[in-house]
């Protein structure tokens, strides 16, 4: 409480004021123990009173606060006691409730477990009972088969499979097990039968036209993507794949794989045979089969020999050889003809096998399990591959027989086939990857056989050129190009299409260690050496044959024609470059030989020109009368010239020089010599009175002599 207020009157107030002022006005001195004094300042009485009141107020406030806290603590203690009492009561009640609920919960839990067990038991009973009805429920579906309802059929088979497993595990001696087992086996047989039926009904032979389009697709691959073959319709393929997977997973049966490869193998073989037959039919119908597999500028088989007509051999050969020498392609002009049918068909069948086998493997990967794919594919391709390899061996065998007969043009069929086999070998190896070693080795074995027989043909051909015994019976009477020469050059020119193949053949027969890994340059040198050998053998044989002619001039014409034919043929093809690899002077040598033969021929006219040569003429004075001996000598000179000229023109008119350029060159050279000599002779003796009948001796004018020489080597004149 605040202290009571004091009134302003009365002695107390005055006393108080006086005391305060007195306190302020005086300074007390306090005596210290040391005898010294200190001054103590005294607080005025009024200020001390204020401070005392402030202290009293604060004390009173603190007392009030303390009293409030004490009351609060008492209330809190009371609330705590009440809460503890409530909690104790609640805990007691919870304990009572728990003691009452737990037994009820346990009883309820037991009842739920019992109920679940009953439901599970009933479900198991229903499940077990259902197995006893599987046979009756699915028998009709199994009996009717899977055709047209494969999904439903496989569902029924799944039920039967589960029933079999149940009875085997739980009741192996029950009659129901036998029922479902029999039903399962019957269903499996139906699925196998359906698999065979689908494969048989829907597996079609690939048409030849489609195969040829597939082969030709390699050239157009940059333009458009290759379209895979559809061996089975999409829906059928899905069914086949599902049946296959079921038979592998549940049927435990691999017999369907045998069915698969047998059916597909037959279709593959028939497709290739159909392609071969297509070539035969299309060739017989149009003469030119569709041939996209091997785009070549030159054909791979020798040109067929033209039919000879009796009485026209000379005309035909001169015309043919003249055209050959002047044509841009030389003796290869006829090589635009189609390939030999069998060879072309075989080459296409090889390419077709690779493409079809690749397609078959793609199909097989979808149908056959992975760990059986390689073996099944190996079996699938055997028939078609064996057929191709057997046909290839037959070609090799035929080539061997042709070599014995010296029919080397027939051996040339091996070259395009061998080249194609080598080109196709990488694809072959890729297709046959994973097959048995015996399967992989079939193509390399055939390639080796063809290389061996090809090398044998080349070797025998060179020997045959050297040792050809035909000297008298088939020698051209007109001195034109010998058939041996044209055949030899034609054979060599046809090798140009197969330079790498022929070089590899020759290299394969080399026994040196360096030849085991021969390069293309090594093969090229071997082939060049071989060409030089053949040309050398041919030259030796021609020299030998030329001796058959009794007339040296005809012998010279014969050698001239053959050498010129060889040189022109070399120049008009790549042969000259190939020969130059090992014999750089071959061209010059042939030109020298040709000039030598021309000079030899020209010497045949000496017996004509010698009569009128100035060195053999009689000497007499102009205007002097001729003696009988001189007149007779001039008559003999004219007669000898006339007879010799007529005889040579008659004989040499039947000779042939097929090359127009060479023919004109030889005529002009000879005409120049004879006309110049005869002109000088005629000028000197034409006006001399050596006879009374000058027309008897002066039969020809100079131009007439030239015209007669212009008709040499021309049977039509």
């Amino acid at each position: 409480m605040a202290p009571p207020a004091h009134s302003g009157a009365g002695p107390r107030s005055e006393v108080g004021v006086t005391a305060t002022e007195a306190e302020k006005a005086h300074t007390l001195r306090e005596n210290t123990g040391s005898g010294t004094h200190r001054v103590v300042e005294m607080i005025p009485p009024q200020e001390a009173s204020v401070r005392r009141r402030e202290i009293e107020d604060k004390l009173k406030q603190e007392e009030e606060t303390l009293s409030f806290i004490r009351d609060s603590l008492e209330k809190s203690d009371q609330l705590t006691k009440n809460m503890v009492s409530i909690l104790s009561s609640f805990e007691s009640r919870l304990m009572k409730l728990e003691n009452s609920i737990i037994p009820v919960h346990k009883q309820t839990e037991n009842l739920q477990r019992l109920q679940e067990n009953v439901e599970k038991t009933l479900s198991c009973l229903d499940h077990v009972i259902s197995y006893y009805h599987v046979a009756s429920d699915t028998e009709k579906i199994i009996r009717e088969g899977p055709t047209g309802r494969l999904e439903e059929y496989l569902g029924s088979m799944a039920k039967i499979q589960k029933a079999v497993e149940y009875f085997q595990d739980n009741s192996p001696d029950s009659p129901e097990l036998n029922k479902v087992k029999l039903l399962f086996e019957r269903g499996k047989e139906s699925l196998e039968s359906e698999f065979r039926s689908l494969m048989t009904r829907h597996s079609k032979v690939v048409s030849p036209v489609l195969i040829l389009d597939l082969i030709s697709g390699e050239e157009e691959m940059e333009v458009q993507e290759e379209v895979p073959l559809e061996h089975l319709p999409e829906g059928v393929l899905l069914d086949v794949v599902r049946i296959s997977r079921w038979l592998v997973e549940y049927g435990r049966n691999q017999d369907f794989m045998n069915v698969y490869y047998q059916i597909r193998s037959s279709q593959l073989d028939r497709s290739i045979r159909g392609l071969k037959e297509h070539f035969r039919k299309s060739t017989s119908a149009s003469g030119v089969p569709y041939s996209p597999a091997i785009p070549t500028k030159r054909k791979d088989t020798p040109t067929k020999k033209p039919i000879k007509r009796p009485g026209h051999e000379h005309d035909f050969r001169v015309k043919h050889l003249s055209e050959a020498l002047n044509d841009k392609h030389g003796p290869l002009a006829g090589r635009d003809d189609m390939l030999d049918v069998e060879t072309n068909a075989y080459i296409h069948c090889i390419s077709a096998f690779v493409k079809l086998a690749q397609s078959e493997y793609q199909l097989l990967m979808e149908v056959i399990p992975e760990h059986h794919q390689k073996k099944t594919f190996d079996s699938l391709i055997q028939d078609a591959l064996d057929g191709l390899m057997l046909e290839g061996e037959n070609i090799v065998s035929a080539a061997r027989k042709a070599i014995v007969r010296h029919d080397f043009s027939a051996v040339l069929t091996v070259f395009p086939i061998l080249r194609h086999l080598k080109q196709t070998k990488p694809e072959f190896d890729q297709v046959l990857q994973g097959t048995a070693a015996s399967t992989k080795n079939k193509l390399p074995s055939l390639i080796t056989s063809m290389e061996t027989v090809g090398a044998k043909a080349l070797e025998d051909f060179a020997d045959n050129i050297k040792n050809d015994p035909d000297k008298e019976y088939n020698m051209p009477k007109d001195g034109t190009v010998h058939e041996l020469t044209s055949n030899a050059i034609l054979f060599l020119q046809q090798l140009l299409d197969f330079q790498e193949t022929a070089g590899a053949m020759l290299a394969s027969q080399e026994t040196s260690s360096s030849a085991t890994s021969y390069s293309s340059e090594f093969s090229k040198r071997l082939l060049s050496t071989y060409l030089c050998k053949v040309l050398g053998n041919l030259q030796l044989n021609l020299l030998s044959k030329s001796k058959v002619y009794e007339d040296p001039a005809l012998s010279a014409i014969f050698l001239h024609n053959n050498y010129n034919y060889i040189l022109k043929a070399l120049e008009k093809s790549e042969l000259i470059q190939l020969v130059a690899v090992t014999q750089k002077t071959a061209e010059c040598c042939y030109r020298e030989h040709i000039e030598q033969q021309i000079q030899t021929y020209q010497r045949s006219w000496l017996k004509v020109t010698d009569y009128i040569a100035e060195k053999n003429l009689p000497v007499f004075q102009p205007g002097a009368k001729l003696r009988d001996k001189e007149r007779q000598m001039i008559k003999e000179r004219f007669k000898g010239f006339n007879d010799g000229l007529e005889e040579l023109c008659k004989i040499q008119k039947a000779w042939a020089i097929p090359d127009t350029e060479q023919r004109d060159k030889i005529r002009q050279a000879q005409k120049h010599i004879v006309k110049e000599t005869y002109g000088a002779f005629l000028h000197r003796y034409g006006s001399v009175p050596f006879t009374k009948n000058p027309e008897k001796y002066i039969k020809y004018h100079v131009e007439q002599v030239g015209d007669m020489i212009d008709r040499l080597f021309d049977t039509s004149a």
Side-chain angles (χ1 to χ4, degrees):
M1 294 180 64
H6 297 285
S7 62
R12 191 172 181 179
S13 301
E14 295 176 357
V15 173
V17 172
T18 302
T20 301
E21 293 175 353
E23 290 173 355
K24 292 180 179 180
H26 297 86
T27 300
L28 296 181
R29 296 180 182 271
E30 182 178 357
N31 188 10
T32 62
S34 59
T36 62
H37 296 86
R38 64 177 179 176
V39 178
V40 178
E41 185 177 359
M42 299 297 293
I43 300 173
Q46 186 177 358
E47 184 177 349
S49 175
V50 172
R51 293 183 64 184
R52 185 168 54 249
R53 284 198 298 271
E54 290 176 355
I55 292 171
E56 288 176 352
D57 290 340
K58 288 181 180 180
L59 180 61
K60 187 175 181 180
Q61 290 176 358
E62 293 296 334
E63 287 177 351
E64 290 176 353
T65 302
L66 180 62
S67 175
F68 176 75
I69 292 172
R70 187 179 293 110
D71 292 340
S72 298
L73 287 174
E74 288 178 357
K75 291 179 181 179
S76 177
D77 289 341
Q78 184 63 38
L79 290 173
T80 301
K81 290 179 182 179
N82 293 338
M83 181 61 69
V84 168
S85 175
I86 292 171
L87 291 175
S88 298
S89 174
F90 186 68
E91 181 181 7
S92 174
R93 292 179 181 180
L94 282 176
M95 290 181 63
K96 290 180 181 180
L97 180 61
E98 182 178 355
N99 292 334
S100 301
I101 291 300
I102 287 176
V104 175
H105 175 71
K106 289 182 177 180
Q107 289 179 359
T108 302
E109 189 177 29
N110 291 335
L111 288 174
Q112 288 177 343
R113 189 179 296 110
L114 290 174
Q115 183 179 3
E116 289 176 359
N117 290 338
V118 169
E119 290 176 354
K120 288 181 179 179
T121 302
L122 290 174
S123 176
C124 289
L125 286 174
D126 291 339
H127 185 64
V128 170
I129 291 171
S130 68
Y131 289 131
Y132 286 87
H133 297 288
V134 166
S136 59
D137 292 343
T138 60
E139 184 176 8
K140 180 181 179 182
I141 297 175
I142 299 302
R143 184 174 63 252
E144 292 176 353
T147 303
R149 51 174 180 179
L150 182 61
E151 186 72 27
E152 181 183 4
Y153 193 89
L154 291 178
S156 298
M157 289 298 294
K159 294 179 182 178
I160 297 172
Q161 173 71 16
K162 291 179 180 179
V164 170
E165 293 173 355
Y166 171 79
F167 288 121
Q168 284 178 338
D169 294 339
N170 299 281
S171 184
D173 298 329
S174 64
E176 284 77 9
L177 176 61
N178 294 331
K179 287 182 181 180
V180 290
K181 268 189 173 182
L182 289 174
L183 199 58
F184 183 80
E185 291 300 323
R186 187 188 305 170
K188 185 171 71 172
E189 291 175 0
S190 295
L191 284 173
E192 293 172 357
S193 177
E194 180 69 8
F195 183 88
R196 178 188 294 273
S197 176
L198 289 174
M199 291 298 301
T200 303
R201 284 187 289 113
H202 297 282
S203 291
K204 305 297 182 183
V205 175
V206 183
S207 69
V209 174
L210 187 57
I211 295 176
L212 291 173
D213 289 340
L214 186 66
I215 295 173
S216 64
E218 295 178 353
E219 301 173 13
E220 304 170 359
M221 195 162 296
E222 297 180 357
V223 180
Q224 61 183 30
E225 296 182 359
E226 181 178 323
V227 180
L229 293 175
E230 184 182 63
H231 294 288
L232 296 172
E234 185 177 356
V236 174
L237 179 59
L238 291 175
D239 288 348
V240 167
V241 171
R242 292 199 64 184
I243 295 174
S244 167
R245 291 176 180 174
W246 189 93
L247 290 173
V248 172
E249 185 175 358
Y250 301 107
R252 307 292 191 271
N253 187 357
Q254 299 180 5
D255 291 343
F256 77 95
M257 299 181 195
N258 297 332
V259 172
Y260 177 86
Y261 91 72
Q262 289 170 0
I263 294 174
R264 293 309 308 168
S265 175
S266 174
Q267 299 303 323
L268 175 61
D269 190 45
R270 289 172 60 193
S271 297
I272 294 177
R273 291 178 183 275
L275 177 63
K276 188 183 304 181
E277 188 64 26
H278 170 76
F279 269 93
R280 291 173 181 167
K281 290 181 179 178
S282 61
T283 303
S284 61
S286 63
V288 182
Y290 176 51
S291 178
I294 310 174
T296 55
K297 294 182 180 178
R298 299 184 179 94
K299 302 303 179 182
D300 295 331
T301 55
T303 307
K304 301 297 182 182
K305 295 180 181 179
I307 299 175
K308 295 182 179 180
R309 296 176 295 164
H312 298 274
E313 177 180 358
H314 173 83
D315 294 343
F316 172 78
R317 294 184 66 192
V318 171
K319 183 175 183 295
H320 171 71
L321 293 171
S322 177
E323 291 174 352
L325 288 168
N326 291 281
D327 185 75
K328 182 179 179 180
H329 301 288
L332 291 181
R335 295 184 67 187
D336 288 333
D337 296 338
M338 51 164 268
L339 290 171
D340 178 79
V341 178
E342 295 298 329
T343 302
N344 197 27
Y346 184 73
I347 288 174
H348 281 76
C349 287
I350 290 292
S351 297
F353 172 81
V354 173
K355 290 298 180 183
L356 292 177
Q358 289 173 344
S359 181
E360 286 291 345
Y361 191 73
Q362 294 298 321
L363 178 65
L364 180 139
M365 287 171 53
E366 297 187 57
V367 179
I368 304 299
E370 183 177 0
H371 53 286
H372 293 287
Q373 289 174 359
K374 295 295 184 182
K375 183 179 179 181
T376 305
F377 180 70
D378 196 347
S379 301
L380 189 153
I381 63 174
Q382 283 304 314
D383 287 348
L385 182 59
D386 286 344
L388 290 174
M389 294 302 106
L390 178 60
E391 189 172 352
E393 290 297 337
N394 290 339
I395 292 172
V396 172
S397 178
R400 290 195 183 100
K401 295 177 181 178
I403 293 174
V404 174
R405 300 192 308 267
H406 293 168
D407 182 8
F408 297 101
S409 62
V411 180
L412 284 173
T413 58
V414 172
F415 285 73
I417 293 174
L418 178 58
R419 180 177 64 182
H420 188 68
L421 289 180
K422 285 188 170 184
Q423 291 173 346
T424 314
K425 188 176 182 298
E427 288 185 90
F428 240 101
D429 293 340
Q430 185 178 5
V431 169
L432 300 183
Q433 187 178 5
T435 58
S438 58
T439 303
K440 294 178 182 177
N441 292 333
K442 288 180 178 180
L443 182 64
S445 176
L446 178 59
I447 289 176
T448 301
S449 297
M450 288 192 171
E451 282 188 332
T452 302
V453 76
K456 174 67 173 172
L458 294 176
E459 179 183 354
D460 285 13
F461 177 76
D463 293 340
N464 184 68
I465 293 296
K466 181 179 181 180
N467 303 316
D468 178 36
D470 183 12
K471 293 182 179 179
E472 297 181 7
Y473 302 106
N474 198 31
M475 289 295 290
K477 296 179 180 180
D478 54 6
T480 188
V481 178
H482 196 279
E483 186 177 8
L484 178 67
T485 302
S486 59
N487 287 343
I489 294 299
L490 178 60
F491 184 87
L492 295 182
Q493 286 175 323
Q494 288 170 332
L495 289 182
L496 287 176
D497 294 317
F498 315 103
Q499 293 184 40
E500 293 184 6
T501 304
M505 285 178 176
L506 296 170
S508 68
Q509 304 305 306
E510 293 291 318
T511 56
S512 61
S513 57
S514 61
T516 55
S517 57
Y518 53 86
S519 63
S520 59
E521 186 63 28
F522 177 75
S523 300
K524 189 174 183 179
R525 291 190 65 84
L526 283 178
L527 184 57
S528 177
T529 303
Y530 173 78
L531 294 178
C532 293
K533 177 182 178 181
V534 172
L535 292 174
N537 291 347
L538 178 60
Q539 186 173 345
L540 291 174
N541 200 322
L542 290 173
L543 284 171
S544 177
K545 291 181 184 300
S546 68
K547 296 176 183 178
V548 173
Y549 296 109
E550 296 179 357
D551 190 338
L554 181 56
S555 177
I557 290 296
F558 171 77
L559 290 176
H560 166 272
N561 284 333
N562 283 272
Y563 291 156
N564 184 63
Y565 180 88
I566 294 171
L567 178 60
K568 286 294 182 70
L570 293 177
E571 289 177 335
K572 291 181 181 297
S573 66
E574 299 174 12
L575 279 175
I576 192 65
Q577 290 88 350
L578 197 55
V579 169
V581 173
T582 55
Q583 182 58 266
K584 299 186 182 300
T585 61
E587 186 175 355
C588 293
C589 290
Y590 275 109
R591 294 193 185 280
E592 291 176 2
H593 292 326
I594 291 170
E595 286 302 319
Q596 289 174 2
Q597 301 309 318
I598 291 176
Q599 293 173 11
T600 301
Y601 163 74
Q602 288 176 342
R603 284 197 290 271
S604 69
W605 281 83
L606 290 177
K607 63 181 181 180
V608 177
T609 57
D610 278 352
Y611 282 104
I612 58 176
E614 187 174 354
K615 62 181 180 179
N616 297 324
L617 296 177
V619 180
F620 59 91
Q621 294 298 326
K625 186 177 180 180
L626 296 177
R627 292 175 293 178
D628 292 340
K629 182 179 180 181
E630 291 174 341
R631 286 196 295 271
Q632 186 61 34
M633 184 178 291
I634 294 173
K635 290 179 182 179
E636 290 177 355
R637 294 288 184 266
F638 270 108
K639 185 177 186 304
F641 173 78
N642 293 334
D643 292 344
L645 176 65
E646 291 170 356
E647 181 184 1
L648 281 185
C649 288
K650 179 180 179 182
I651 294 173
Q652 294 184 8
K653 185 175 69 171
W655 297 354
I657 299 180
D659 187 350
T660 305
E661 181 182 347
Q662 285 292 314
R663 184 169 65 240
D664 292 342
K665 175 183 176 182
I666 293 174
R667 283 174 177 172
Q668 290 300 322
Q670 198 59 51
K671 185 169 66 171
H672 175 73
I673 295 172
V674 176
K675 284 178 66 178
E676 184 177 355
T677 306
Y678 181 66
F681 177 78
L682 193 60
H683 177 71
R684 185 170 185 178
Y685 294 101
S687 58
V688 174
F690 64 91
T691 179
K692 294 180 179 179
N693 300 311
E695 66 276 0
K696 178 180 179 181
Y697 296 98
I698 306 175
K699 291 184 177 181
Y700 306 105
H701 299 296
V702 175
E703 294 304 323
Q704 287 179 311
V705 172
D707 292 341
M708 292 174 68
I709 295 176
D710 281 336
R711 290 194 290 271
L712 297 179
F713 318 115
D714 187 0
T715 56
S716 63

